[in-house]
Amino acid sequence: MEPIDEEAFEKLKLAGRILREVREEIRSIIHEKMPVIEICERAEQLIIEKGAKPAFPCNISINEVAAHYTSPPGDTLTIPEGALVKVDLGAHIDGYVVDTAITVCFNPQYVELVRTAEKALQAAIETIRPGLPTSVLGSVIEQNIKSRGFKPISNLTGHQVGRYVVHAGTSLPNIYYPSIAKLKLGGAYAIEPFVTLPEAAGKVEDGSEVTIFRLLKPKKVGSLEARKLLGYIEENFKTLPFALRWIKNVVPKDHFNKAFHELLKAKAVMGYPVFIEVSKQPVAQAEHTVLVVEDGCVILT
Ligand code: MN
Ligand code: MN
């Protein structure tokens, strides 16, 4: 990953400002019993209205679902009472991606869990400087979470962001993990501690649901509808993740399922299964995208 130039920095900054506004607006309107699809569509619409594009579908992941749920078309899911709700948002301008997440807590029992994710994120951000080994960053996050009596999710990581790529280059574990990787001056990174209860497994596994997809490789596919769908995906999202809600009207309704299945089968597109905490314990997350500068980092979101 090349360090970014001035023009890219301006685009990242603007995308970050837009996404911060959208996040705060969503934080203020989200409530129990609210249809999840309403939140997803509102967030994505706000990103567009403010002049950026969604870098991935709005993720609304509830309780033990740690990540990767967005509403499929016609979703009837609502925010359960007493839920712990992760809202994870991404925006880009000209491919320059920013990524941020909050956890909204409707259960007084989990307030400390949420605060711990936020505090671990803050501690990580205060540690960041050019050349910081990613193993040290992971260690800071892990120790911070454990010192507050909670447990990090060991197999979910932060990541570098690249142009038209959400997970680019270096992974940033939320635990100590031996690695020679270092944070680079001019690099943009998403820092995202995931936290669960001390008695939990502290790991996620793939669930059966898949609601988010992305282009793998433009391939030759047989049917006209599949070709049309693939062309639309390539042109509009490139390699960024997308939701079925965003493409459902590209081909006639009767042909959609068959055409999309054809793309999956040809491995032209891939799906991201939802991530579920192995012991079904609630998970909190906090995330910012930062740019590494000479004397530390700038929070973009
Ligand atoms: Mn995110
Ligand atoms: Mn992220």
Side-chain angles (χ1 to χ4, degrees), residues 56 59 87-90 99-101 159 166-167 190 192 194 285 287:
F56 51 81
N59 284 217
V87 179
D88 195 332
L89 302 168
D99 181 358
T100 187
H159 49 95
V166 181
H167 285 243
E192 50 183 317
F194 285 85
Q285 172 201 18
E287 179 177 26

Side-chain angles (χ1 to χ4, degrees), residues 62 72 85 224 267 292:
I62 296 168
V85 187
L224 182 67
K267 294 196 160 58
V292 178

Side-chain angles (χ1 to χ4, degrees), residues 146-169:
K146 286 185 171 166
S147 73
R148 298 176 64 95
F150 292 99
K151 195 180 232 178
I153 299 287
S154 61
N155 60 345
L156 286 178
T157 70
H159 49 95
Q160 196 164 2
V161 291
R163 198 157 181 214
Y164 289 107
V165 194
V166 181
H167 285 243

Side-chain angles (χ1 to χ4, degrees), residues 218-231:
K219 292 217 171 128
K220 284 217 168 69
V221 281
S223 77
L224 182 67
E225 287 80 14
R227 279 206 298 278
K228 194 171 173 199
L229 212 45
L230 191 57

Side-chain angles (χ1 to χ4, degrees), residues 213-270:
F213 302 86
R214 83 164 171 91
L215 176 73
L216 263 184
K217 227 179 198 172
K219 292 217 171 128
K220 284 217 168 69
V221 281
S223 77
L224 182 67
E225 287 80 14
R227 279 206 298 278
K228 194 171 173 199
L229 212 45
L230 191 57
Y232 185 90
I233 290 164
E234 247 194 286
E235 192 184 321
N236 288 278
F237 319 126
K238 297 195 165 58
T239 46
L240 291 171
F242 62 88
L244 295 182
R245 287 181 285 109
W246 298 357
I247 59 169
K248 66 180 189 337
N249 296 323
V250 175
V251 298
K253 216 174 161 205
D254 303 348
H255 297 274
F256 181 84
N257 284 349
K258 190 172 166 286
F260 193 69
H261 190 77
E262 212 179 315
L263 298 185
L264 283 171
K265 214 175 145 209
K267 294 196 160 58
V269 300
M270 60 160 283

